Amino acid sequence: MASIHITDIEAAINYWREKSPSPDGVTLAPELRALAEVYALMIFHHQDEAAEQGFPPKALDAWLAWYHTTPDAPCIAICSTSQGDEECKGCGRTFEEVQYWPEMTPSEKRSTWRRITMIGTAWRFNKYAERATESG
């Protein structure tokens, strides 16, 4: 089951804080309020992921609005999986992740992004970082 990581919820909260700042320092935009409720429950229950299934609809809409501002694929047009590698040297995705990327849900894609970013060994993060900046 796909999950949304707490760092993505934090990023979405920051996106909405910038997009819809509080007029009085207390009042929250509806999108912020929806995300803040999920975030608070995750903190209270010591969880770092929330299942996509069952995610409150308003919070999911707010998260998806942020998600659509992020780069879709980590590809930097140097695909070694087409040459037989199980994991792409360019972006860090597995052969299956590259192959099924168009069918993946937003939370599955973000999970992959999180994994490859945490590992950080793909060329997009070092050797060709400037190419990654241009493409995504």
Side-chain angles (χ1 to χ4, degrees):
M1 181 185 322
S3 296
I4 299 173
H5 197 271
I6 195 166
T7 56
D8 276 356
I9 295 172
E10 290 169 347
I13 287 170
N14 289 332
Y15 166 81
W16 282 105
R17 285 179 65 205
E18 187 173 314
K19 186 174 173 84
S20 300
S22 173
D24 56 12
V26 177
T27 307
L28 296 177
E31 298 86 358
L32 267 169
R33 192 174 315 110
L35 289 165
E37 287 177 21
V38 172
Y39 185 81
L41 286 170
M42 291 175 73
I43 296 297
F44 181 79
H45 293 289
H46 304 281
Q47 298 170 330
D48 59 358
E49 293 183 333
E52 183 179 17
Q53 185 178 7
F55 210 78
K58 289 181 182 179
L60 184 59
D61 288 345
W63 182 82
L64 285 170
W66 163 79
Y67 167 80
H68 290 303
T69 68
T70 65
D72 179 52
C75 181
I76 59 169
I78 301 175
C79 191
S80 68
T81 60
S82 63
Q83 305 301 315
D85 286 347
E86 251 328 283
E87 187 174 282
C88 180
K89 289 179 179 82
C91 71
R93 291 179 292 170
T94 66
F95 176 77
E96 289 78 21
E97 289 166 341
V98 171
Q99 185 177 13
Y100 295 111
W101 193 261
E103 300 168 22
M104 292 170 72
T105 67
S107 60
E108 290 170 333
K109 289 179 179 181
R110 288 301 304 165
S111 177
T112 300
W113 267 102
R114 178 171 168 67
R115 181 184 55 75
I116 65 171
T117 302
M118 297 297 290
I119 295 169
T121 56
W123 292 348
R124 89 170 336 273
F125 300 110
N126 49 53
K127 196 173 202 175
Y128 294 100
E130 74 285 348
R131 183 181 268 194
T133 303
E134 293 168 8
S135 67

